[in-house]
């Protein structure tokens, strides 16, 4: 407990190195406060590093799962559920590190077309529980692998999604889940995994992605002009008009996704967010779908 707490706190306190954190041992006030708040001793971070290097990362993944289950059992996130039922679990890739030369057989790589320079790096795919307040907490982490080939973001992201999906279903088999993801993910494989696991989904939808869906949207939109809602938000002197529209029950290769769109207009800019989801939209639900879909970026900009 002491070693893991110190490893976490080094990041929480934004220390740039183990040595910088070790220097706090010279402050009696810091050590006293640290041990009072966390009820553990303040160890040497050199010892922390040594033990972390010796410990299989699966041990920490198991510990993380156990801690999250305690939070769920205590219903900490219940008030943040979508439609009062589903926990929003966002799937997204994150960059971990870049190295000048490949330092292991699992390094990803890509070569710049302009300079010809090859860059080696490591990414992970994270599954994070995200709340409407912006808080996010990791449920599963998987290293992205692309053996024997040049890094392809979409291909690697989808391949890596399969593993955290399996882990989520194994560790949280009865948890009502709504998967959030970016525009790389919507395809037959993604829809099939969600349906097989009994999960809902809300995914960003890029223009031109899945052409058959866009064609059906174009046709159905003309038949459902009443599916719209407009909201005006005032923040001081700034006025933003949000226009929502939606098309439900789109037929795509045996799946029935629903498409919603939100266009925001203010004095200085226009924003547009389009999503495809398994959740059918209506006058009230469309706003919740939009906000849940836009929370995806929190996996990269906040949380634990």
């Amino acid at each position: 407990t002491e070693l893991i707490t110190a490893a976490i706190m080094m990041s929480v306190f934004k220390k740039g190195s183990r040595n910088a954190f070790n220097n706090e041992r010279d402050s009696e006030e810091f050590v006293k406060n640290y041990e009072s708040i966390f009820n553990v001793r303040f160890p040497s971070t050199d010892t922390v590093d040594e033990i972390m290097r010796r410990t299989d990362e699966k041990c920490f993944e198991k510990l993380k799962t156990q801690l999250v289950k305690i939070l769920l059992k205590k219903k900490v996130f219940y008030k943040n559920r979508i439609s009062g039922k589903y926990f929003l679990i966002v799937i997204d890739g994150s960059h971990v590190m870049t190295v000048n030369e490949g330092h292991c057989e699992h390094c990803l790589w890509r070569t710049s077309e302009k300079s010809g320079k090859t860059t080696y790096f490591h990414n992970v795919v994270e599954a994070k529980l995200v709340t409407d307040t912006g808080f996010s907490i990791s449920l599963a982490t998987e290293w992205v692998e692309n053996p024997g080939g040049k890094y392809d973001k979409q291909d690697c992201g989808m391949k890596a999604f399969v593993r955290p999906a399996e882990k989520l279903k194994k560790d949280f088999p009865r948890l009502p889940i709504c998967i959030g993801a970016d525009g790389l993910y919507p395809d037959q494989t993604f829809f099939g995994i969600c349906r097989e696991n009994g999960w809902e989904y809300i995914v960003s939808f890029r223009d031109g992605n899945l052409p058959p869906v866009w064609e059906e949207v174009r046709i159905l939109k003309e038949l459902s002009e009443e599916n719209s809602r407009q909201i005006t938000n005032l923040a001081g002197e700034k006025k933003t008009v949000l226009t929502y529209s939606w098309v439900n029950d789109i037929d795509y290769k045996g799946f029935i996704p629903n498409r919603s769109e939100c266009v925001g207009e203010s004095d200085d800019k226009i924003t547009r967010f389009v999503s495809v989801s398994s959740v059918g939209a209506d006058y009230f639900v469309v706003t919740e779908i939009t906000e849940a879909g836009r929370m995806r970026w929190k996996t990269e900009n906040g949380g634990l």
Side-chain angles (χ1 to χ4, degrees), residues 55-122:
T55 306
D56 191 322
E57 64 183 44
K58 293 179 181 179
C59 295
F60 299 114
E61 281 288 295
K62 183 177 180 180
L63 173 61
K64 179 170 65 177
T65 300
Q66 292 171 335
L67 294 174
V68 171
K69 285 183 176 181
I70 292 173
L71 295 176
L72 292 171
K73 186 176 181 179
K74 291 179 178 293
K75 300 184 178 182
V76 173
F77 304 114
Y78 267 50
K79 64 180 180 181
N80 304 113
R81 293 173 296 173
I82 298 175
S83 299
K85 180 178 181 181
Y86 299 103
F87 293 92
L88 178 63
I89 309 299
V90 173
I91 305 290
D92 203 3
S94 296
H95 179 72
V96 177
M97 62 180 294
T98 299
V99 292
N100 292 328
E101 297 182 2
H103 74 301
C104 75
E105 61 181 347
H106 301 296
C107 277
L108 304 175
W109 61 272
R110 58 187 166 202
T111 302
S112 171
E113 295 182 358
K114 292 184 178 180
S115 66
K117 180 181 178 181
T118 299
T119 302
Y120 298 89
F121 55 97
H122 284 285

Side-chain angles (χ1 to χ4, degrees), residues 256-274:
I256 309 296
N258 309 285
R259 184 256 196 189
S260 59
E261 178 178 350
C262 175
V263 177
E265 299 181 72
S266 60
D267 294 335
D268 54 349
K269 65 178 181 178
I270 297 177
T271 59
R272 179 171 173 265
F273 180 79
V274 182

Side-chain angles (χ1 to χ4, degrees), residues 6 127 139 190 192:
L139 301 188
F190 176 83

Side-chain angles (χ1 to χ4, degrees), residues 118-171:
T118 299
T119 302
Y120 298 89
F121 55 97
H122 284 285
N123 288 357
V124 295
V125 168
E126 282 269 289
K128 287 190 175 184
L129 189 156
V130 182
T131 72
D132 54 3
T133 63
F135 179 81
S136 63
I137 184 168
S138 176
L139 301 188
T141 305
E142 287 287 340
W143 293 100
V144 176
E145 299 176 355
N146 190 34
K150 182 179 179 182
Y151 174 72
D152 181 281
K153 183 176 181 180
Q154 181 161 353
D155 181 54
C156 289
M158 273 308 305
K159 287 180 179 177
F161 168 64
V162 175
R163 297 195 301 276
E166 291 175 349
K167 186 178 294 185
L168 278 175
K169 190 62 179 178
K170 178 182 177 182
D171 293 338

Side-chain angles (χ1 to χ4, degrees), residues 134-271:
F135 179 81
S136 63
I137 184 168
S138 176
L139 301 188
T141 305
E142 287 287 340
W143 293 100
V144 176
E145 299 176 355
N146 190 34
K150 182 179 179 182
Y151 174 72
D152 181 281
K153 183 176 181 180
Q154 181 161 353
D155 181 54
C156 289
M158 273 308 305
K159 287 180 179 177
F161 168 64
V162 175
R163 297 195 301 276
E166 291 175 349
K167 186 178 294 185
L168 278 175
K169 190 62 179 178
K170 178 182 177 182
D171 293 338
F172 306 95
R174 294 187 296 275
L175 189 69
I177 287 176
C178 179
I179 297 291
D182 67 17
L184 294 176
Y185 289 87
D187 66 5
Q188 284 179 274
T189 301
F190 176 83
F191 295 150
I193 290 174
C194 290
R195 182 165 66 183
E196 182 179 350
N197 290 326
W199 299 338
E200 305 292 344
Y201 59 84
I202 300 174
V203 189
S204 298
F205 197 42
R206 297 174 176 177
D207 289 351
N209 195 8
L210 304 182
V213 173
W214 279 102
E215 178 61 22
E216 188 158 353
V217 166
R218 185 186 65 80
I219 297 172
L220 293 177
K221 199 170 183 180
E222 297 177 358
L223 304 176
S224 54
E225 294 181 355
E226 71 281 2
N227 290 356
S228 64
R229 179 180 182 181
Q230 193 170 86
I231 297 176
T232 300
N233 292 331
L234 296 175
E237 297 182 355
K238 183 178 180 179
K239 182 176 75 171
T240 302
V241 179
L242 301 174
T243 303
Y244 299 88
S245 60
W246 61 93
V247 174
N248 290 329
D249 300 329
I250 301 167
D251 184 14
Y252 175 69
K253 298 184 178 181
F255 301 98
I256 309 296
N258 309 285
R259 184 256 196 189
S260 59
E261 178 178 350
C262 175
V263 177
E265 299 181 72
S266 60
D267 294 335
D268 54 349
K269 65 178 181 178
I270 297 177
T271 59

